[in-house]
Amino acid sequence: MTDAPPAASVEKFRDWRFGLFVHWGLYSLPARHEWVKNYERLTDEDYQPYFDHFEPDLYDPRKWAAAARQAGMKYAVLTTKHHEGFCLWDSAVSDYTVAHTAWGAGKDLVRQFVDACRAEGLGVGFYHSLIDWHHPEFPIDLVHPQRDDEEAIAKAAGRDVQVYADYLHAQTRELLTNYGPIDIMWFDFSYPGRTYPDGRDGHGKGRDDWRSEELMAMVRELQPDILINDRLDIPGDFVTPEQYQPDGPMQRDGVPVVWEACQTLNGSWGYDRDNLDWKSPETLVKMLVDSVSKDGNLLLNVGPTGRGEFDPRALATLASIGEWMRLHERSIRGARPAEGYVAPVDCRFTQKGNRLYLHLFSWPMGHIHLPGLAGKVKYAQLLNDASEIKRIVSDPHQQAQNTTMGGVSADTLTLKLPIQKPNV
Ligand code: JFZ
């Protein structure tokens, strides 16, 4: 690893626990997944209408940032450029930017985003795609074997990825020079050493293609306090499980590592109009709790529309999460896993200071048994309304006689819960 970030940056990031991911670009117009250009094998010509019609007249990132803050998020990460190659800022080294669209002459959507985050008190992150389907020297090559073909290979021939790497470095320098202190750099992604199923060279991309060490050193030089993710094909400051929850605190080479799960609202990162696969707010809250209980963050994605708004389904979901966070935030923000206690089935523990938070993913039948906690809990309450919960410590005498609390070991704390789950 090239150096390490300051401990204060790491702790700040871990305390945030919950952030907003925004995938926004030309793909918001076809509105059927940010990989549409690759999935549907669209040529540059096919894709041109989205550049020509990019006109996000309702773009007001203060609204995005306010929605994020109200949902309980503490930072936001924007796709400055996704794989399609389109830049949301007025890059000096590209014409494929918002500033070169008919609508966006002279506009810098990244600056507006950064200003909005700062105004709402959110940390700021930049997602930046390593892959670029538009740059003339990027060898478009195998990412999805089943979707690649001879034409793509032929197109890749003769392209010089090092020329592209110069461009990548120049753009990264712009992003980390012109917008003040940036908290997170989120590169995406490497796929080294890929081969086709029949053994042909798949032209994978990795550290030698991006010149990852050099790139990371530059990022640290420009932004000494920044955290860099782990998708440069060299170790980064945090790891990024994507669309899955790990089964426990994450490790790298046997050592605990900072991590952030990224999750979609509906399986697509970019705005996907006809998608019906929306996760419920309850599922998303469970993902957040699950991450924190395993010492990780959750970066939850919204794909804004081509007009630049969060669509009503996304807003409603964020509002529901926000209502849960209003009542339960202190079990999340700055929280850590509970050391030494194993949560019962379908439960998660988080801890902050001497307070232990028990999150119940399904509502128990009147009692919940907590092995190892007898005599360790001075007071128990529901978090949503501070109403007391009665503790029942099993009585060894009764246990011996196998009566009231029979079968519950002496070190088990039993809590008596209301039969009805609180309506929150
Ligand atoms: C990448 C992007 O392709 C996707 O569009 C989105 O931006 C997401 C956050 O990141 O998707 C990936 C990247 C890496 C893996 C899987 C999906 N991977 O290494 O398994």
Side-chain angles (χ1 to χ4, degrees):
M1 183 173 18
T2 321
D3 288 319
S9 297
V10 175
E11 289 317 295
K12 183 173 71 172
F13 180 74
R14 288 174 73 206
D15 283 348
W16 280 341
R17 287 305 186 208
F18 190 25
L20 174 73
F21 213 173
V22 178
H23 275 67
W24 195 44
L26 300 183
Y27 46 81
S28 308
L29 293 181
R32 48 182 193 272
H33 206 280
E34 76 283 357
W35 274 73
V36 65
K37 192 178 186 195
N38 173 287
Y39 284 0
E40 299 182 12
R41 304 185 166 291
L42 304 181
T43 63
D44 285 344
E45 196 186 353
D46 296 333
Y47 212 70
Q48 186 62 27
Y50 310 131
F51 182 91
D52 296 339
H53 293 277
F54 188 69
E55 194 180 320
D57 59 325
L58 299 179
Y59 178 54
D60 180 358
R62 269 303 282 269
K63 290 190 178 157
W64 298 3
R69 183 177 48 70
Q70 283 158 18
M73 295 160 161
K74 285 291 176 189
Y75 63 108
V77 180
L78 173 69
T79 50
T80 53
K81 178 195 85 167
H82 201 261
H83 308 336
E84 65 179 6
F86 180 69
C87 305
L88 295 182
W89 82 104
D90 186 6
S91 172
V93 295
S94 175
D95 290 343
Y96 203 51
T97 76
V98 61
H100 289 80
T101 62
W103 171 81
K107 289 200 168 71
D108 182 344
L109 306 183
V110 170
R111 181 163 319 275
Q112 287 174 253
F113 174 83
V114 171
D115 291 347
C117 289
R118 297 222 172 97
E120 294 289 336
L122 302 176
V124 183
F126 288 156
Y127 169 108
H128 194 72
S129 177
L130 300 167
I131 294 165
D132 193 313
W133 298 327
H134 184 265
H135 193 281
E137 294 297 330
F138 185 85
I140 296 172
D141 46 24
L142 183 136
V143 175
H144 288 303
Q146 67 278 22
R147 296 199 184 94
D148 225 341
D149 60 12
E150 298 295 338
E151 201 187 314
I153 299 168
K155 238 176 134 180
R159 294 188 175 205
D160 184 351
V161 75
Q162 286 305 312
V163 175
Y164 169 70
D166 292 340
Y167 172 81
L168 169 66
H169 286 226
Q171 291 208 318
T172 304
R173 179 178 287 282
E174 289 179 2
L175 289 169
L176 299 182
T177 303
N178 298 334
Y179 300 91
I182 301 301
D183 298 289
I184 298 155
M185 193 69 211
W186 219 104
F187 289 111
D188 191 42
F189 61 90
S190 302
Y191 45 104
R194 297 251 175 123
T195 51
Y196 285 89
D198 65 9
R200 283 173 303 154
D201 181 5
H203 306 279
K205 292 279 169 292
R207 63 192 90 166
D208 297 335
D209 301 288
W210 322 128
R211 306 200 305 268
S212 296
E213 294 280 354
E214 182 192 324
L215 185 59
M216 209 183 247
M218 181 184 79
V219 171
R220 291 215 199 281
E221 188 197 317
L222 295 172
Q223 297 274 349
D225 295 335
I226 206 166
L227 260 55
I228 307 167
N229 76 336
D230 69 332
R231 294 190 176 186
L232 280 167
D233 187 33
I234 57 176
D237 303 329
F238 64 98
V239 304
T240 52
E242 174 167 335
Q243 297 213 62
Y244 75 94
Q245 295 295 125
D247 65 0
M250 295 191 81
Q251 303 192 336
R252 189 174 52 210
D253 304 327
V255 179
V257 66
V258 179
W259 65 271
E260 174 198 66
C262 49
Q263 294 279 2
T264 59
L265 290 178
N266 59 21
S268 175
W269 300 92
Y271 180 59
D272 188 4
R273 182 191 61 203
D274 300 338
N275 191 304
L276 294 175
D277 205 14
W278 289 73
K279 296 177 183 104
S280 67
E282 186 180 340
T283 293
L284 294 163
V285 164
K286 285 178 179 175
M287 286 175 164
L288 173 61
V289 168
D290 183 69
S291 287
V292 178
S293 77
K294 296 166 181 171
D295 210 7
N297 286 15
L298 178 68
L299 188 64
L300 182 61
N301 181 77
V302 174
T305 70
R307 294 190 72 183
E309 284 198 317
F310 288 5
D311 85 298
R313 295 163 293 187
L315 284 172
T317 299
L318 292 185
S320 297
I321 296 172
E323 178 55 16
W324 185 86
M325 280 293 275
R326 189 178 72 79
L327 295 171
H328 302 90
E329 175 168 8
R330 66 185 207 239
S331 69
I332 298 293
R333 188 87 52 233
R336 299 286 181 266
E339 295 294 337
Y341 300 116
V342 178
V345 170
D346 226 15
C347 298
R348 301 290 186 278
F349 275 135
T350 62
Q351 184 171 355
K352 210 159 72 186
N354 64 359
R355 292 196 183 191
L356 188 61
Y357 297 94
L358 174 64
H359 302 262
L360 302 159
F361 283 4
S362 59
W363 198 250
M365 295 173 285
H367 295 88
I368 183 131
H369 304 293
L370 303 170
L373 279 175
K376 302 222 163 123
V377 175
K378 285 198 191 129
Y379 188 76
Q381 60 184 15
L382 293 181
L383 182 50
N384 62 292
D385 64 357
S387 60
E388 183 176 9
I389 296 171
K390 291 279 194 208
R391 289 159 297 150
I392 304 169
V393 178
S394 69
D395 174 347
H397 176 68
Q398 286 187 338
Q399 192 188 350
Q401 296 177 31
N402 195 20
T403 54
T404 324
M405 297 300 291
V408 174
S409 72
D411 73 342
T412 292
L413 171 68
T414 295
L415 300 178
K416 187 173 181 331
L417 297 170
I419 284 295
Q420 299 276 336
K421 177 183 184 294
N423 189 23
V424 283

